[in-house]
Structure formats: structure tokens, C-alpha cells
Amino acid sequence: MMSSLFSRGQVLLTKSFQPTRINSIRTMVIAKKYVIGKYFQGEPKRSDLPLVEEELPPLKDGEYLIQAEYLSVDPYMRPYVYRVPLGRTMIGSQVAKIIESKNPNFPVGQRVFANIGWRTHTVIREDAGGVFDQPPYVLPDFDGLPASLGLGVLGMPGNTSYFGFLEICQPKAGETLVVSGAAGAVGSHVGQIGKILGLNVIGIAGSDAKCKWLKEELGFDHAINYKTQNVATALREAAPNKVDCYFDNVGGDISGIVLNQMNVFGRISVCGSISSYNADINAMPKTAIIQPALVFAQLKMEGFIVMRWKNRWMEGIEQNLKWIKEGKLKYRETVTDGFENMFDAFAGLLQGENTGKAVVKV
Ligand code: NDP
């Protein structure tokens, strides 16, 4: 039912991040964290994100201490980093274990999802808000599935797929769906929801191995390798009756081509534009003019941020968990070992090294 766990086989973590303890009384916890030393220019560089240590204070009432088990690397980190002042912790979310607590709602041993950045240990305040206004939450019961899924199919990317596709594309059985970035965390999930709902699904991805996975394991009807195929020609063959829904993860030229093959009253959900994330913010790539396609096919195009549905967060997680248990939704993780390798995992994601969700195991 489920796909295998992939490891990028990098340097194994040296277990040097354990809190220092004497006679089981905590004397000192040293957290490791990456800080934003320099804003990215072009492709991120290792030196942009220095790794530093920080001594954590003892807990006050209402606080609890968490230790990261899995951290997420996501494309949004690349453009979003400019919103964070230099010197702050690099943004990102993690699944972590509570190892000390003075808060009865967050007891020792529980696992939490926390959007608190690239760090190994963190003291969470009672009134913690978190990036994107999303306070830490105790992970729901995943019924034996790995906790890391709380960063992927049973977390933010899963909800991006569920709400961003269903609410904006309003798909109907028999229609044709195109997904770009199709072999990533979000794209692979959206395409499978399309199949669950009875759509003809076409994925666009960056390698033959990814296209094979989409068709042979996930049940996509067609997959196009945008690096080796002519996307316009291949799409005309795969969608002779044109496209009704487009879930756009990449923007740029690929999206210009898809928009020009849409049916009247087609819907476009604009989730991301990774093809431009490494571009200079003052010199964005010039790409196809899309207005004629929007006007003549009377298309509806809408961007979204998944936190729009933060009040329905658990609905998305529950539905995705149900589909996994029914064998209708498969997932894959690309796992990098070691907190020291966070940067490699992030840079690799932007280069297309991941299939499915990219996570780092501490
Ligand atoms: P993915 O797992 O899809 O990883 C990124 C993938 O993007 C890479 O594996 C690579 O695959 C592809 N890629 C990289 N460069 C290019 C390029 N120049 N052109 C085309 N494809 C490229 O990431 P996610 O699933 O986490 O995210 C997918 C998209 O969704 C991103 O744009 C992200 O910003 C967006 N997003 C938006 C949210 C929202 O609320 N709006 C929330 C979450 C994600 P390949 O080998 O196919 O090139």
C-alpha cells in the first residue's frame, strides 16, 4: 500500500546534540540552530545559513522543551526568507518530542508539530504563536504511520493539496487535470486526489524516473518529462480534449504552455512558482503573456496560501489519513540523515533531487 522510505545516504548524524544531564537533573541544554546570516542571491549557499549553538534557559511554568526528530525542507523557504530579519533562526517546521514539561497540555513523551525553525531543541512558551500564526499542536494519532508524515502528507503539504485543489479547482469526474511539479510532495498528492475523484490526470515532472513513478505507482494517466520532451506537443497528445483544471506549482514557461491548452471556463489553482524562486528578485524571468488565454477561454485563476484553511486544518489531515488507510493515497519521502545536512537537503530540493516529501531526520 505504501511506498518505500528513501534515504539520500548522506553523512550520518553524530549524536552530539543530546542535552547535558547530571544525576538526571537538567543542568544545561545546548540547542543547535541555523541562522539567516545573509539573504540568498541566486542559488542558496551554505555560508548563508551559519550553524550556531544556543544555551536554553530552565523552564518556567507553562513552558515545555522539545527535541526535533524530523525537520522539513520546503520550497517556500527560498522566497519567504526575505521577510525575516537577518540573524533570526532559519524558518521551517519540525516534528519533535517533548522531553521536559511544565505544561499539563503538553506532557513529556508526546510528539508535536512546531513551526519554530531549523533548530534541534526549543523551549516553547505557553502563548507561542509560531510562524504563519500557527501555534504548535500535539500530533494527531496517525494509527501507526510514521510521525514524519506530520510534515508531509499528513501536514502542511497534504492540506495544501487537499484544500488548494478541491476548493479552487472545483474538479468534476471526467475532467482533465494537469499538475506541474507533479512528483513533489504537493504535486504527487494532488494528482492522486484527481484520480480518486475520477479525473484524467497528467503530471509534468523533471525526470523519467519521476514520470515512471507517477504512472506506474500513483496511477497518473500520463506523465511528461519537461526536461526532455516538448511539453506543448506532449500535452496536446495527452489531452486532446484540452485541460479543465491546472494545479500550478512551478509557474514560468511550463504554465504558459498549459494555460494555452485550457478549456473554456477552466480553473487554475496557483500554488507556487518554483521555476523563479532562485531568480534575482529585481530581475524576474520574462515568460509567456497569459492574458489572451485567460480572456478567450474565460479562465479563472486564483492564488492561495494554505493557512487560509487553518480553521479546517484537522479536516484535511483526517481525510488524507483516511485515503492512505483505504489504499487510495500513496506517499514517498526523501529522507536526509543528520541535522548537519539540512542545507544539502534544502539545496537538493530546489534542484529536484527529491521525490515526494523532502525531510531531514535528526
Ligand atoms: P516539491 O516536493 O515539489 O519539491 C520541489 C520540486 O520542484 C523539485 O523536486 C523539482 O522537481 C521541482 N522544480 C525545481 N525547480 C524547478 C523548475 N525550474 N521548474 C519546474 N520544476 C522545478 O515541493 P512541494 O511539493 O513542497 O511544493 C511544491 C510547490 O508548492 C512549490 O512551488 C511551493 O512553493 C508550493 N507550496 C505552496 C503552498 C501555498 O500555501 N501556496 C504551500 C506549500 C507549497 P522536478 O524534478 O520535477 O524539476
Side-chain angles (χ1 to χ4, degrees):
M1 177 175 78
M2 267 155 277
S3 60
S4 56
L5 205 69
F6 273 58
S7 171
R8 300 176 68 226
Q10 294 181 327
V11 184
L12 280 173
L13 172 70
T14 53
K15 296 281 180 194
S16 58
F17 302 150
Q18 301 301 323
T20 307
R21 285 167 192 273
I22 298 174
N23 295 335
S24 20
I25 297 166
R26 201 235 299 171
T27 53
M28 179 172 54
V29 176
I30 303 291
K32 297 233 175 191
K33 63 175 188 178
Y34 290 84
V35 293
I36 306 165
K38 192 164 176 282
Y39 289 128
F40 306 130
Q41 283 185 318
E43 285 180 19
K45 293 177 206 56
R46 193 179 300 276
S47 55
D48 297 332
L49 300 174
L51 179 56
V52 300
E53 292 191 347
E54 175 187 74
E55 185 180 335
L56 300 184
L59 295 186
K60 298 189 194 112
D61 282 345
E63 293 181 339
Y64 54 99
L65 172 67
I66 61 172
Q67 178 173 347
E69 293 184 322
Y70 291 94
L71 292 108
S72 186
V73 286
D74 299 270
Y76 78 82
M77 294 168 176
R78 174 65 185 79
Y80 204 88
V81 79
Y82 300 107
R83 302 180 187 200
V84 183
L86 288 175
R88 292 269 183 89
T89 307
M90 177 59 183
I91 50 176
S93 52
Q94 58 179 260
V95 163
K97 208 161 200 177
I98 301 174
I99 58 172
E100 199 180 330
S101 179
K102 289 193 173 181
N103 184 328
N105 297 323
F106 291 90
V108 170
Q110 287 276 21
R111 284 201 172 87
V112 290
F113 168 90
N115 211 328
I116 39 107
W118 292 19
R119 31 186 315 135
T120 56
H121 296 85
T122 310
V123 172
I124 309 284
R125 294 199 320 265
E126 190 162 29
D127 60 350
V131 183
F132 304 119
D133 197 19
Q134 187 179 39
Y137 59 83
V138 172
L139 275 195
D141 180 4
F142 289 168
D143 216 4
L145 294 171
S148 56
L149 301 189
L151 300 173
V153 67
L154 300 177
M156 186 276 284
N159 279 356
T160 301
S161 312
Y162 175 76
F163 293 114
F165 175 47
L166 295 180
E167 296 291 330
I168 293 181
C169 282
Q170 300 282 326
K172 296 171 200 65
E175 289 188 326
T176 293
L177 161 69
V178 172
V179 188
S180 56
V186 174
S188 61
H189 191 150
V190 168
Q192 291 184 85
I193 298 178
K195 287 315 302 173
I196 291 169
L197 299 182
L199 280 79
N200 175 41
V201 177
I202 302 161
I204 304 176
S207 76
D208 287 344
K210 289 183 180 186
C211 288
K212 188 169 188 290
W213 178 61
L214 294 176
K215 283 201 295 186
E216 294 183 4
E217 286 189 47
L218 304 191
F220 282 45
D221 298 283
H222 303 273
I224 299 169
N225 180 344
Y226 73 91
K227 290 186 178 163
T228 59
Q229 289 180 268
N230 178 314
V231 176
T233 308
L235 187 54
R236 262 192 297 277
E237 283 167 12
N241 298 321
K242 296 200 170 175
V243 178
D244 303 289
C245 302
Y246 176 41
F247 193 93
D248 186 6
N249 284 313
V250 305
D253 290 339
I254 291 174
S255 298
I257 291 167
V258 179
L259 261 63
N260 276 296
Q261 297 196 32
M262 299 283 299
N263 266 322
V264 173
F265 298 126
R267 287 87 63 202
I268 301 121
S269 177
V270 183
C271 177
S273 57
I274 196 167
S275 68
S276 67
Y277 287 176
N278 276 337
D280 181 341
I281 207 151
N282 298 311
M284 296 298 269
K286 292 193 171 43
T287 183
I289 294 176
I290 59 170
Q291 283 77 3
L294 287 172
V295 172
F296 294 121
Q298 303 188 63
L299 305 176
K300 193 169 173 185
M301 185 172 190
E302 184 175 344
F304 71 91
I305 300 287
V306 63
M307 296 317 294
R308 187 195 295 194
W309 297 285
K310 69 179 175 190
N311 295 335
R312 294 171 61 191
W313 204 250
M314 290 303 158
E315 172 195 325
I317 292 177
E318 279 165 23
Q319 179 58 66
N320 288 326
L321 178 59
K322 186 165 179 282
W323 277 331
I324 292 174
K325 283 162 57 181
E326 289 169 354
K328 294 176 177 166
L329 178 61
K330 297 180 183 169
Y331 61 84
R332 187 179 279 192
E333 293 178 306
T334 298
V335 182
T336 298
D337 282 313
F339 187 72
E340 302 93 332
N341 296 315
M342 285 290 302
F343 178 82
D344 298 301
F346 177 53
L349 170 83
L350 298 172
Q351 299 293 337
E353 286 179 15
N354 65 304
T355 300
K357 179 72 189 105
V359 294
V360 174
K361 185 175 189 297
V362 177

